[in-house]
Amino acid sequence: MKRIVGLFLSLGLGVSAQAAPDAALQALLADPAARQAAEAAGKKAVFFCANCHGENGVSKLPEVPNLAGQNPAYLLEQIRKFGNGQRRDEFMQGLIKVLKDDERLQMSVFYASQQPLPGKQEAAQVAAGKVMYEKLCWRCHGEQARGSEIIPRLASQHPEYLATAVIRYRDKTGERRDPQMSSAVAPLRDEDIKAIAAYLNTLP
Ligand code: HEC
Ligand code: HEC
């Protein structure tokens, strides 16, 4: 792990302040049989979440994020942030409080195992968004926008949700707090954000 963090630092990604992936999750991911059992338990545990996040983690509501294919460590970290108030959303904060630790793990690995669904967007916007993505976001979120262990996947995400999230980091409205994100998106105008979000939605 030290070596990986060192590599990030030497690439100038500045992710040192990010929490290390959860040890229980790491152990689960390293054990295929335990992972499979947790995914099966997670599939049952998310029956209520499905009302908003969709049956298989692809939501039909533009303001509700897709969770399918998202990185499990990121999902778990966001659940933790809702739980301790570092991330604000009245409904999610209330809901997360009732989840036990093993349920959080099971839900995270279940959603991570599901298939994302890319969308279709206007070609000119997609092209403009790609240029800006490659300049400003690529170094952390990756070439295909699939993120990493600790950085979220953005590919196939709903454009409305993406735009709202980016604007919240940029304008420091308080719902989402992450200094690296706030500085990365500071130069963007609203129309740039729309274009980047359109591009990201089309990626598989
Ligand atoms: C009533 C609708 C609703 C239900 C039910 C719901 N969610 Fe959410 N969830 C949301 C919304 C809306 C957001 C986005 C909040 C924001 O804008 O920050 C969200 C965000 C999330 C995120 C953050 C995703 C990201 O990309 O950062 C996770 C993880 C999550 N929900 C997990 C769950 C789980 C697990 C359950 C079931 C225990 C659940 N949600 C049930 C509406 C819902
Ligand atoms: C220095 C690394 C870094 C750069 C550069 C960066 N990001 Fe991020 N991004 C992160 C991290 C870390 C998070 C998770 C923050 C949190 O926990 O709220 C994140 C979260 C996000 C989210 C929330 C995802 C979700 O599912 O809710 C969006 C959207 C996002 N970034 C878009 C972008 C865009 C667009 C750019 C380029 C303009 C960008 N990021 C550049 C590190 C970065």
Side-chain angles (χ1 to χ4, degrees):
M1 186 59 212
K2 245 191 199 141
R3 202 174 60 84
I4 298 174
V5 172
L7 179 68
F8 276 128
L9 286 178
S10 67
L11 290 171
L13 297 189
V15 291
S16 57
Q18 204 67 24
D22 184 88
L25 176 64
Q26 291 301 98
L28 189 59
L29 295 180
D31 179 345
R35 181 177 184 158
Q36 232 175 17
E39 284 172 9
K43 189 178 169 63
K44 289 191 189 129
V46 300
F47 73 93
F48 181 69
C49 323
N51 287 316
C52 295
H53 290 284
E55 190 83 27
N56 297 306
V58 176
S59 110
K60 292 194 174 72
L61 307 168
E63 72 281 10
V64 178
N66 295 327
L67 304 177
Q70 184 55 275
N71 305 322
Y74 170 77
L75 290 174
L76 198 58
E77 172 69 3
Q78 296 306 303
I79 290 175
R80 199 184 62 79
K81 283 188 163 184
F82 283 128
N84 68 16
Q86 276 179 285
R87 178 169 177 179
R88 289 203 215 124
D89 179 84
E90 209 176 321
F91 179 83
M92 283 304 305
Q93 284 180 266
L95 179 63
I96 287 308
K97 286 211 173 78
V98 307
L99 298 181
K100 299 190 197 79
D101 284 353
D102 56 342
E103 289 172 328
R104 296 177 179 202
L105 270 177
Q106 291 161 354
M107 290 173 170
S108 299
V109 293
F110 166 71
Y111 280 127
S113 72
Q114 297 301 294
Q115 190 61 38
L117 182 69
K120 288 205 173 66
Q121 301 290 331
E122 207 237 319
Q125 272 219 323
V126 170
K130 181 173 196 284
V131 173
M132 281 182 282
Y133 178 82
E134 284 172 358
K135 212 165 85 188
L136 295 169
C137 324
W138 191 88
R139 68 191 171 100
C140 290
H141 289 280
E143 191 177 355
Q144 303 295 321
R146 291 186 186 158
S148 70
E149 239 180 5
I150 47 179
I151 306 258
R153 171 191 172 92
L154 304 174
S156 312
Q157 189 53 273
H158 287 305
E160 294 84 351
Y161 170 77
L162 288 171
T164 303
V166 170
I167 289 170
R168 285 171 170 174
Y169 289 118
R170 185 193 64 186
D171 299 347
K172 304 195 176 104
T173 51
E175 290 93 342
R176 310 265 333 234
R177 270 172 289 164
D178 185 84
Q180 311 174 72
M181 266 303 296
S182 290
S183 62
V185 302
L188 296 176
R189 300 166 303 167
D190 287 2
E191 58 263 44
D192 301 332
I193 294 172
K194 263 197 183 156
I196 297 177
Y199 166 63
L200 291 170
N201 177 249
T202 64
L203 297 177

